[in-house]
Amino acid sequence: MALPVSGLNMSVAALVGFVALFGVSIQNSVILVTRIRELRREGLGVIEAIKDGATSRVRPMVMTALMAMLGLLPMALSNGVGAETARPFAVVIIGGLITGTVLTLFILPLLYPFFESKADQSMFASNQEEQRRTHPGDTPA
C-alpha cells in the first residue's frame, strides 16, 4: 500500500523489502505470542495474559520499528543516483513496519483467544488449578 501512495512501482528492490519486512513482522508476532503463553503458564487468564503481554511488548516493538524507520527515512526521501532502486526498498519497509506494528499490537491480541489450541487451554487451566491448590491467596480470581 505504501508503494502506490508514494507513486512508486513494484520492483525487485521492493520485493527484497517485503522479504525483510516479513521476517521482522513474524519475529514481533512470535515475541508477543511467546509472552502471552508465558503469562498463561504463570496462571493468568487469557484476557489478563493478553493485556499484560501486549502492554509489556509495546515499547520494545515500537522502539525497534521506529529506529528502523528513522534509519531508512533518508533512503526513502533520496532523489540522487541509485534512488530508483533504494526508494522502493525503503518505502516498502517503512510502510510495512507501520502496518505490521499496528496489526501485531492490536489485531493479534484480539485474535489470540480464537487460535489458542484446546490442548494449551487445558494445560493452562491445570496450571491455574495447581497454583490455586499450592498457593491459595496468590493467584488472581
Side-chain angles (χ1 to χ4, degrees), residues 1 11 22 48 51 79 88 105-107 114 123 129 131 137:
M1 186 159 154
S11 66
F22 289 147
E48 294 84 14
K51 285 180 185 177
N79 288 321
L105 290 173
F106 296 107
I107 303 301
F114 299 109
M123 178 186 70
E129 186 59 37
Q131 281 189 346

Side-chain angles (χ1 to χ4, degrees), residues 7 20-21 23-24 42 47-48 65 67 71-72 81 83 85-86 93 97 112 123 129 131 133 137:
L21 178 65
V24 172
E42 292 174 8
I47 301 300
E48 294 84 14
M67 290 298 103
L72 289 169
V81 176
T85 57
I93 293 177
L97 283 173
Y112 179 83
M123 178 186 70
E129 186 59 37
Q131 281 189 346
R133 278 186 283 147

Side-chain angles (χ1 to χ4, degrees), residues 90-136:
V91 167
V92 163
I93 293 177
I94 291 171
L97 283 173
I98 293 168
T99 306
T101 303
V102 168
L103 290 175
T104 300
L105 290 173
F106 296 107
I107 303 301
L108 180 65
L110 290 175
L111 296 177
Y112 179 83
F114 299 109
F115 293 101
E116 185 177 72
S117 71
K118 298 296 179 190
D120 286 345
Q121 289 175 359
S122 63
M123 178 186 70
F124 297 140
S126 66
N127 285 351
Q128 285 178 324
E129 186 59 37
E130 178 67 26
Q131 281 189 346
R132 282 191 198 110
R133 278 186 283 147
T134 58
H135 307 288

